[in-house]
Amino acid sequence: MEFQILWFILWGVLWAVYFMLDGFDLGIGMLESFLGRNDAEKRVIINTIGPVWGGNEVWLITAAGATFAAFPTTYALMFSYLYSVLLLILFALIFRGVALEFRGKVDSETWKRGGDIAIFLGSLIPAMLFGVAFANIFQGLPMDAGGYHGTLLSLLNPYGLLTGVLFVLLFILHGALWLTSKTDGEISKRASIVADKSWYLLLIIAVLFLIYTASTTNLYANFLQSYIWLIVPVLAVVSLIGIRFFAARGQYLKAFYSSCLTIVMVIFSAVIGLYPNLVPSRTDPDYSLTIFNSSSSIYTLKIMTVVAVIFMPIVVAYQIWTYRVFRNRLSINDVLKDKESY
Amino acid sequence: MDIVRLSRLQFAVTASFHFIFVPLTLGLSILVAYMETRYLRTGDEMYRRMTRFWGRLFLINFALGVVTGITMEFQFGMNWAEFSRYVGDIFGTPLAIEATVAFFLESTFIGLWVFGWNRVSKRLHAASIWLVAIATNLSALWILLANGWMQRPVGYVLRNNRVEMADFMAMLTNTYGWLKFFHTVFSGYVLAAFFVMSVSAYHLLKKNNPQFFKASFRMAAAFGLISSLLVFIVGDFHAAEVAKTQPTKFAAMESVWDTQKAATYYLLIIPDPGNERNAVETIGIPRLLSLLAFHNGDAEVKGLKEFPKKDRPPVIATFLSFRTMIALGMLFILLTLMAYIISRKDRLESSTAFLRIMLYALPLPYLATQLGWIVAEVGRQPWIVYGLLRTSDAVSKSITPLQVMVSLIGFTLVYGLLVIMYIYLLSRFAKMGPDDELQAIIKPSGI
């Protein structure tokens, strides 16, 4: 197999795993202020992601780093073209991280309220803007011989905003399912209600997204050319229905796994639809950034492959292991008696 | 201002802020890991309290190091797209490896360490902070190999209108990168040692928990003494490597205008770049400059006039930063040596003047590390990759001055707020002392 294709697959996997993992952190961040009725409850909610959110966020760093190393031209142009969006995502992630770490460190109403706002916005903004950014990539960026012609406002077009809402709902549902299976009592019950209701909302938005995608992007072309790949979006739909299926039976952990699969399959579908582009051009196809015209040299890709083959399995192994260490449900008592918790 | 100036300023601001947190993380992780190991070995409750107390301060610092680090990775693409496109084939690799090999390890095991006190065995818990310490230092290695490549590009070919990797091992074994790595991590250890000694001095002056803080101080003094000697020794080799590979930077560091053999080292120099000379040059030590530069008293040191004006770095900033850093480095050896002797003789509590010096000396290692980066980065100008790519050719073409102006103001405000919170939390927790039984949560007084 060509190394560019291998790295394209890995690129898709890194983004998919990032959204699968940090997706529920972002969901938790958006839900914390609304599902926690008092400080103790809020602490329980953010402590469910306490040990793992940092490791989850590294998938983003790695996705960006892999883009840089494997497709430097795409990294350079994508990151500079999406300057303002990435800047807002950066600020939001900074606030989220700092607020999660520092919220519990000062016993003051104002401090904690500030922390809650930062956690909420620091989760909502990245969820929304990642959707906007990817939607614009699906549509193709306005780039040609004259360079880049977009602005922050042109990125916030209806399709971009719709995809942003889609991401927000995906992550709220994902976070609510996580919370339902990681807590007990009232919080778990409230989270399950959010999961149930947000599913229907997500379904409506997803249908709109699929229709809009057909009219404004070229993502379907690859699937129409070889039907075999349709298995991926079909799995996305099946697992989306699976969420409801399991949730209706009260099996929220299975519903959560189903939601993981949904997110991964959604990202995979998009990546297959993009192939061989990483960032298509809307104005002049000759200026599309493909995996072939924007990749590193084969030598560099080989080195990177060796590194990935050796280290990624190790990373996956110890991350799964830490999830197992912290697999139990959290109650208010656990959090109140643990001095190291958030 | 133009995009190049604004982007440089933004990179300088974000990198300097990031490097407020990094050196303490590098050093304190090792000290905390050592404390927990002592607890594991001896079962002495004091070491557990030490691990908790210093660990808590470590975590406040660690969080900010992580969030400000993401900015660095994104900025190469956002502001320096031409740089990223031109050298990404070789420069992207160490960054991606850093994330894969080091950053995952660091972030996953810090979570386990913080939340795992009662969930994993003591041995595993201590192992996880060691993994964090190793990972942060490993992270520094990859970043500094990347920076080392910008200073002394090796193992590349010019092909397909860009720089492509020809020899990965050459980058991996780049002497420049390794010297920079050791110089940087050792300076982080010095800073961490001063941090521990400063906080301990505060409590010893107040006679809080003398046993606890004397033990902490003693540990840090030994660590600091070894590290400040190592910084200095590696620094000497590092400067010699600069003289060999970056003659313009070396000439600016020492403010040498004319090429000369058996060059004299002047203790006092006032550069006069306008007239391409030094206004004052006095107290000379014959042949010392040649000796420092090439470890040979007769060697020829190149002067700035040897190079066209457009290839010279700013002299004043490079020269003053370098001289001040060296002076501070010597002071650190002196202070840590005194700290070591006084703490060994168990005379800390009565040496109140010395404790006061150590309490207020804390900003100095921070200053020294910042100055070191000014020498490294300003001294490399006008190049972003020495001899290969000019900084002015490296900036993104698609961004506007307004965009960068807004982001620069944004970063300054956000990071300013972070630093205020950082100092507030760190000083409150540091002053609170080690007794977790008193409840770690701050009761605010008058906010």
Side-chain angles (χ1 to χ4, degrees):
Chain A
M1 182 162 40
E2 280 172 89
F3 280 95
Q4 282 97 339
I5 297 176
L6 179 69
W7 273 91
F8 182 62
I9 295 169
L10 268 170
W11 182 77
V13 169
L14 288 170
W15 281 109
V17 176
Y18 169 65
F19 287 124
M20 176 183 93
L21 294 178
D22 209 25
F24 66 79
D25 300 331
L26 295 171
I28 293 292
M30 289 186 269
L31 292 171
E32 180 236 356
S33 294
F34 302 98
L35 290 186
R37 299 257 162 92
N38 53 47
D39 185 51
E41 288 189 1
K42 285 177 184 165
R43 286 182 57 199
V44 171
I45 294 171
I46 53 176
N47 271 289
T48 62
I49 58 168
V52 294
W53 76 268
N56 295 344
E57 198 178 272
V58 180
W59 287 88
L60 171 67
I61 319 277
T62 310
T67 315
F68 198 171
F71 306 107
T73 310
T74 293
Y75 168 79
L77 297 183
M78 185 165 85
F79 276 57
S80 56
Y81 292 173
L82 299 177
Y83 191 91
S84 305
V85 168
L86 289 174
L87 185 74
L88 290 170
I89 289 177
L90 269 179
F91 285 153
L93 289 178
I94 288 172
F95 278 117
R96 174 185 72 150
V98 171
L100 282 172
E101 293 290 339
F102 292 172
R103 183 188 179 280
K105 296 234 182 284
V106 179
D107 199 9
S108 132
E109 278 291 316
T110 327
W111 178 274
K112 289 189 168 167
R113 202 171 313 127
D116 291 338
I117 293 169
I119 290 171
F120 173 72
L121 290 176
S123 304
L124 175 69
I125 291 171
M128 182 80 197
L129 291 184
F130 275 126
V132 170
F134 273 92
N136 278 276
I137 290 170
F138 299 160
Q139 285 178 306
L141 294 175
M143 53 187 186
D144 50 41
Y148 175 66
H149 306 292
T151 62
L152 178 59
L153 283 179
S154 74
L155 294 173
L156 297 173
N157 59 58
Y159 181 66
L161 294 173
L162 178 74
T163 314
V165 174
L166 178 79
F167 273 46
V168 168
L169 283 171
L170 258 181
F171 298 156
I172 284 180
L173 171 61
H174 200 43
L177 290 168
W178 167 264
L179 200 56
T180 310
S181 28
K182 291 294 284 186
T183 53
D184 55 16
E186 275 297 300
I187 303 174
S188 179
K189 196 180 290 168
R190 268 178 244 144
S192 71
I193 295 169
V194 172
D196 294 345
K197 290 192 173 155
S198 61
W199 186 86
Y200 290 101
L201 214 52
L202 175 65
L203 191 67
I204 297 167
I205 298 293
V207 170
L208 285 177
F209 170 78
L210 288 174
I211 297 168
Y212 208 155
T213 298
S215 76
T216 190
T217 78
N218 212 13
L219 286 188
Y220 290 126
N222 283 339
F223 295 101
L224 296 176
Q225 228 159 43
S226 45
Y227 294 120
I228 177 88
W229 294 110
L230 280 171
I231 183 86
V232 176
V234 166
L235 268 174
V237 173
V238 169
S239 52
L240 182 65
I241 296 166
I243 296 172
R244 192 70 214 107
F245 175 84
F246 291 120
R249 280 156 189 75
Q251 297 169 319
Y252 283 94
L253 190 61
K254 284 185 183 160
F256 173 74
Y257 288 137
S258 219
S259 167
C260 288
L261 190 65
T262 308
I263 292 174
V264 170
M265 289 302 145
V266 167
I267 302 297
F268 280 2
S269 304
V271 167
I272 292 168
L274 279 172
Y275 180 86
N277 294 312
L278 285 156
V279 184
S281 164
R282 196 191 313 170
T283 43
D284 183 350
D286 285 348
Y287 284 83
S288 289
L289 295 164
T290 73
I291 63 170
F292 300 105
N293 73 13
S294 79
S295 85
S296 280
S297 61
I298 299 299
Y299 178 71
T300 297
L301 292 178
K302 278 183 185 165
I303 302 253
M304 291 299 303
T305 305
V306 172
V307 172
V309 165
I310 296 173
F311 287 99
M312 286 319 287
I314 300 175
V315 170
V316 171
Y318 63 63
Q319 285 212 337
I320 290 176
W321 175 71
T322 41
Y323 273 93
R324 281 191 54 79
V325 170
F326 296 102
R327 67 183 173 277
N328 64 319
R329 283 174 191 259
L330 274 187
S331 68
I332 290 184
N333 282 337
D334 295 331
V335 171
L336 290 183
K337 72 171 191 246
D338 183 0
K339 283 190 283 286
E340 304 304 317
S341 64
Y342 285 154
Chain B
M1 275 207 275
D2 59 12
I3 298 171
V4 178
R5 272 173 169 280
L6 285 166
S7 292
R8 282 186 64 188
L9 195 55
Q10 179 171 305
F11 203 91
V13 166
T14 51
S16 305
F17 268 107
H18 179 54
F19 215 74
I20 293 174
F21 314 113
V22 173
L24 186 60
T25 301
L26 288 170
L28 200 52
S29 60
I30 293 177
L31 281 171
V32 172
Y34 178 71
M35 290 164 187
E36 193 167 353
T37 308
R38 296 282 296 183
Y39 171 55
L40 195 67
R41 289 265 165 83
T42 63
D44 186 344
E45 197 54 15
M46 185 182 70
Y47 287 115
R48 192 190 61 81
R49 287 164 69 219
M50 267 166 101
T51 311
R52 290 255 182 173
F53 174 72
W54 297 108
R56 198 177 295 137
L57 300 179
F58 169 74
L59 288 173
I60 293 169
N61 179 71
F62 183 84
L64 288 168
V66 170
V67 295
T68 53
I70 307 174
T71 308
M72 304 317 299
E73 191 199 35
F74 277 41
Q75 263 189 121
F76 290 116
M78 288 166 67
N79 293 72
W80 303 98
E82 285 307 301
F83 164 82
S84 301
R85 190 198 65 73
Y86 191 63
V87 302
D89 189 72
I90 188 159
F91 185 81
T93 310
L95 294 195
I97 296 178
E98 186 257 352
T100 313
V101 173
F103 204 22
F104 269 124
L105 197 64
E106 183 178 342
S107 302
T108 309
F109 283 90
I110 195 77
L112 190 75
W113 189 71
V114 175
F115 292 87
W117 279 95
N118 305 314
R119 285 179 205 271
V120 293
S121 70
K122 281 182 182 175
R123 191 176 286 272
L124 199 54
H125 193 262
S128 60
I129 189 71
W130 274 114
L131 284 173
V132 171
I134 292 166
T136 51
N137 282 271
L138 200 58
S139 178
L141 173 65
W142 288 105
I143 297 301
L144 293 168
L145 282 177
N147 184 272
W149 187 85
M150 291 166 74
Q151 307 284 353
R152 179 182 169 234
V154 289
Y156 66 89
V157 283
L158 292 171
R159 196 163 45 204
N160 301 324
N161 196 21
R162 65 177 177 179
V163 175
E164 292 194 350
M165 181 144 57
D167 184 0
F168 178 62
M169 286 312 286
M171 189 188 69
L172 209 58
T173 56
N174 188 357
T175 325
Y176 202 113
W178 280 93
L179 286 169
K180 213 167 164 58
F181 164 69
F182 284 118
H183 190 58
T184 308
V185 295
F186 290 147
S187 73
Y189 303 167
V190 173
L191 186 144
F194 270 84
F195 179 83
V196 171
M197 288 191 285
S198 173
V199 174
S200 300
Y202 172 85
H203 288 283
L204 287 171
L205 283 164
K206 296 213 152 194
K207 312 212 181 306
N208 296 335
N209 285 291
Q211 208 59 26
F212 180 96
F213 285 109
K214 273 195 300 192
S216 301
F217 194 104
R218 199 157 43 225
M219 198 183 279
F223 187 58
L225 176 59
I226 297 167
S227 306
S228 39
L229 287 170
L230 286 170
V231 177
F232 208 79
I233 295 165
V234 174
D236 172 58
F237 283 99
H238 190 10
E241 176 77 7
V242 171
K244 194 168 80 182
T245 60
Q246 296 181 306
T248 50
K249 183 193 274 183
F250 189 82
M253 276 156 58
E254 299 290 5
S255 190
V256 181
W257 296 95
D258 296 295
T259 301
Q260 48 197 291
K261 283 191 172 151
T264 305
Y265 185 89
Y266 293 99
L267 284 179
L268 185 67
I269 293 177
I270 300 175
D272 177 10
N275 297 310
E276 301 192 314
R277 66 186 181 96
N278 292 328
V280 176
E281 248 182 15
T282 184
I283 324 179
I285 305 169
R287 299 152 80 92
L288 182 61
L289 186 57
S290 289
L291 190 68
L292 286 172
F294 297 99
H295 295 158
N296 167 9
D298 295 320
E300 181 184 86
V301 176
K302 288 224 165 30
L304 283 160
K305 285 191 203 163
E306 189 95 8
F307 307 94
K309 276 193 176 159
K310 66 175 177 44
D311 291 347
R312 297 182 201 164
V315 176
I316 303 259
T318 313
F319 168 78
L320 284 180
S321 304
F322 185 61
R323 281 281 158 117
T324 315
M325 179 185 75
I326 302 271
L328 288 170
M330 293 190 192
L331 181 65
F332 298 156
I333 294 175
L334 180 72
L335 286 176
T336 50
L337 182 66
M338 287 172 70
Y340 181 77
I341 293 169
I342 294 173
S343 59
R344 280 287 128 178
K345 291 190 172 167
D346 200 10
R347 288 201 191 135
L348 274 174
E349 281 160 293
S350 53
S351 314
T352 51
F354 182 70
L355 287 176
R356 214 160 273 135
I357 291 172
M358 291 311 284
L359 169 63
Y360 292 111
L362 185 56
L364 297 180
Y366 283 94
L367 178 64
T369 54
Q370 296 285 339
L371 292 172
W373 276 110
I374 292 175
V375 175
E377 299 297 288
V378 174
R380 194 191 54 231
Q381 302 304 322
W383 306 100
I384 190 164
V385 181
Y386 194 78
L388 260 186
L389 181 67
R390 280 174 196 276
T391 310
S392 52
D393 297 329
V395 84
S396 303
K397 285 176 179 160
S398 60
I399 54 176
T400 63
L402 180 68
Q403 269 182 312
V404 189
M405 184 78 90
V406 170
S407 62
L408 174 59
I409 293 169
F411 275 117
T412 312
L413 292 176
V414 171
Y415 282 19
L417 180 69
L418 292 185
V419 166
I420 292 169
M421 289 200 306
Y422 174 68
I423 294 173
Y424 170 69
L425 282 178
L426 211 55
S427 58
R428 291 298 290 266
F429 275 94
K431 284 178 187 169
M432 209 152 35
D435 294 304
D436 7 272
E437 280 64 38
L438 294 177
Q439 203 35 273
I441 307 303
I442 298 174
K443 302 281 180 202
S445 52
I447 29 167

